[in-house]
Amino acid sequence: MSKEKGLEREEGGATMPIKKRGGVVDSTDPNMGGESQDADYCSEDAPPSLSDELEVLILARVPRSEYSKFSAVNKRFLSLVSSGELYKVRRDIGVREPSVFVLASGESNWWAFDRSFRSCRQLPILPSDVCFASGDKETLSAGTHLLVSGMEIDGRVTWRYELTSNRWFKGPPMNSPRGLFASATCGNHAVVAGGIRVDGNREVLRTAERYDPDGKSWVLLPSMNRRRQFCSGCYMDGKFYVIGGKSEDGQALTCAEAYDETNDKWELIPDMLKDTPISTYHSPPLVAVVNNHLYALETSLNVVRVYVKATNSWRTLGPVPIRADFNRGWGVAFKSLGNELLVIGSSSASYTGHGMSIFTCIPDPTTATTEEGRLRWEPLECSKNRSSHFIRNCCVMIA
């Protein structure tokens, strides 16, 4: 049996010196005082320590759900996480994983889940006023920032949650404060377009802007061809798509637009939603892109459809296991989760009682509409499944 005694280790009655990085410490030195020093010690037979660079590369491959435990290791590990350096390394080596942020009806705190929904944690309370807390909000993510846009007593604001520090900050505001806009995330930035201006005459917008999390700033982009509100956004084929919505006259728009960053222009796509039923009080289109294929949740029929690019048309793939028709699409989350589709809402079966139900599936755009070929949805257990099935906000962060 061995034990440490000051800077010595006793083994079988023999006293062995303990090696410090860079040499052997003389335990007889009176300046040492027999006290443990702030350094890493190992026996002469111990393997050499890892280099700092190799340690960072290893940590970058650890699941993000484990990062909260690093603060108990040492200050350097804590600094790697809180400074954001570790996330930059992950981005450079192509290691990313999705997290799902959810705000359910009746709750004041956001919840963050890992991809499999096996672990969750509660975010700090967003320090907004009561108007923002109780009002409608819209969310998007960029890098390690979760952005939440809504109305406070003094006007439209955007709050951001920084994953690295686990804190909320106000701002920066958009160049054109807006609501009911389209948004989507691509890489380390996000784009918003359209919506209603809320700092004046409630003008329906056709402007667009991009958020840069590194600079914490918004940059104006060229304006769309059409003004639109109640629209949705997504990234596909390297372009930012704005789909559906309503015009300044309140008329439903079946056209879409795609912004190509390469030529810095918008392209109008007529009749992209020509076969989609549109209700006056319907939610914005529920769309998600998986493996560069666009899917939509047709809420009036509770089915998933896939967009056929070659013919500018839609094809039905099969039903979803939640009731999206209860509130005409409001309160339902329909997102891409890596190579899967994610849907959260009120279950059409009794998987999780009266709480929110969570399902994923790996879609196949060639799936037939027969019983054998329909989408295979997998229910996910969730430690917070007593939350309301009405989802006020949901956002997927890839970092």
Side-chain angles (χ1 to χ4, degrees):
M1 180 177 182
S2 67
K3 62 179 180 178
E4 291 191 6
K5 181 179 180 182
L7 293 175
E8 299 175 318
R9 188 181 65 183
E10 294 181 357
E11 288 194 3
T15 300
M16 301 178 63
I18 301 298
K19 176 181 282 189
K20 180 184 177 184
R21 289 182 183 176
V24 177
V25 175
D26 183 1
S27 61
T28 63
D29 186 346
N31 295 324
M32 298 301 294
E35 297 295 329
S36 177
Q37 303 300 302
D38 186 16
D40 294 332
Y41 296 94
C42 60
S43 69
E44 289 182 327
D45 299 328
S49 300
L50 299 175
S51 67
D52 290 348
E53 294 77 9
L54 185 54
E55 280 184 347
V56 172
L57 290 174
I58 293 174
L59 292 175
R61 288 169 168 80
V62 175
R64 285 197 291 108
S65 58
E66 303 294 324
Y67 282 8
S68 60
K69 302 174 183 178
F70 288 171
S71 59
V73 178
N74 59 36
K75 292 182 179 179
R76 178 171 175 272
F77 284 5
L78 175 61
S79 176
L80 284 171
V81 177
S82 59
S83 67
E85 180 182 348
L86 200 54
Y87 293 97
K88 293 179 180 178
V89 174
R90 287 169 64 89
R91 190 169 63 197
D92 291 341
I93 64 178
V95 176
R96 296 190 177 189
E97 57 185 299
S99 293
V100 184
F101 292 83
V102 175
L103 179 65
S105 178
E107 295 200 351
S108 58
N109 284 84
W110 285 76
W111 287 86
F113 301 88
D114 66 354
R115 176 172 180 160
S116 61
F117 282 77
R118 292 194 181 119
S119 68
C120 65
R121 63 183 179 88
Q122 196 175 49
L123 270 58
I125 292 179
L126 198 160
S128 62
D129 64 22
V130 64
C131 180
F132 188 95
S134 59
D136 293 332
K137 293 175 281 291
E138 290 157 271
T139 61
L140 60 149
S141 69
T144 55
H145 291 183
L146 171 68
L147 304 179
V148 184
S149 174
M151 288 292 297
E152 287 192 338
I153 295 174
D154 295 331
R156 193 82 181 181
V157 298
T158 299
W159 284 88
R160 76 178 188 276
Y161 168 76
E162 295 189 5
L163 182 66
T164 55
S165 62
N166 191 34
R167 295 176 58 193
W168 290 98
F169 301 88
K170 182 179 285 190
M174 298 181 192
N175 291 288
S176 297
R178 65 188 76 204
L180 299 173
F181 53 83
S183 67
T185 302
C186 180
N188 199 47
H189 66 264
V191 176
V192 301
I196 301 176
R197 182 187 295 276
V198 293
D199 61 348
N201 58 4
R202 295 185 65 81
E203 171 191 9
V204 177
L205 301 171
R206 65 187 188 97
T207 58
E209 44 192 303
R210 179 174 56 226
Y211 177 72
D212 172 26
D214 293 333
K216 298 182 178 67
S217 60
W218 293 92
V219 178
L220 285 173
L221 299 176
S223 296
M224 296 186 293
N225 294 285
R226 301 288 300 270
R227 299 176 183 271
R228 59 181 77 213
Q229 57 181 315
F230 286 95
C231 44
S232 295
C234 66
Y235 263 92
M236 182 173 61
D237 296 323
K239 301 177 182 179
F240 172 60
Y241 282 75
V242 178
I243 300 172
K246 297 179 180 179
S247 67
E248 59 268 42
D249 299 325
Q251 298 298 312
L253 296 172
T254 60
C255 62
E257 299 194 39
Y259 172 68
D260 188 347
E261 290 184 327
T262 303
N263 56 29
D264 201 28
K265 292 182 179 179
W266 288 90
E267 172 192 0
L268 192 65
I269 307 173
D271 298 327
M272 189 171 181
L273 297 179
K274 61 182 178 181
D275 299 325
T276 302
I278 298 176
S279 172
T280 304
Y281 301 104
H282 203 282
S283 70
L286 299 178
V287 296
V289 173
V290 174
N291 295 328
N292 213 36
H293 290 282
L294 175 62
Y295 299 88
L297 173 55
E298 176 46 65
T299 57
S300 62
L301 302 175
N302 295 312
V303 297
V304 172
R305 308 172 79 194
V306 62
Y307 179 63
V308 183
K309 302 174 187 177
T311 59
N312 192 31
S313 61
W314 295 83
R315 190 167 63 84
T316 300
L317 295 183
V320 289
I322 57 107
R323 294 296 305 272
D325 60 329
F326 274 166
N327 295 289
R328 296 186 175 90
W330 298 105
V332 173
F334 183 70
K335 303 289 182 180
S336 59
L337 191 62
N339 64 339
E340 298 177 300
L341 285 173
L342 167 71
V343 64
I344 309 176
S346 175
S347 174
S348 55
S350 57
Y351 286 99
T352 56
H354 300 290
M356 68 179 183
S357 297
I358 307 168
F359 299 85
T360 61
C361 79
I362 300 177
D364 181 356
T366 63
T367 299
T369 55
T370 62
E371 283 293 335
E372 295 78 10
R374 288 184 176 180
L375 300 173
R376 292 175 173 82
W377 295 93
E378 296 291 334
L380 299 181
E381 293 297 330
C382 172
S383 61
K384 190 58 182 174
N385 58 15
R386 293 183 180 178
S387 296
S388 169
H389 66 266
F390 191 93
I391 307 303
R392 296 184 63 186
N393 297 103
C394 180
C395 187
V396 177
M397 177 186 293
I398 309 293

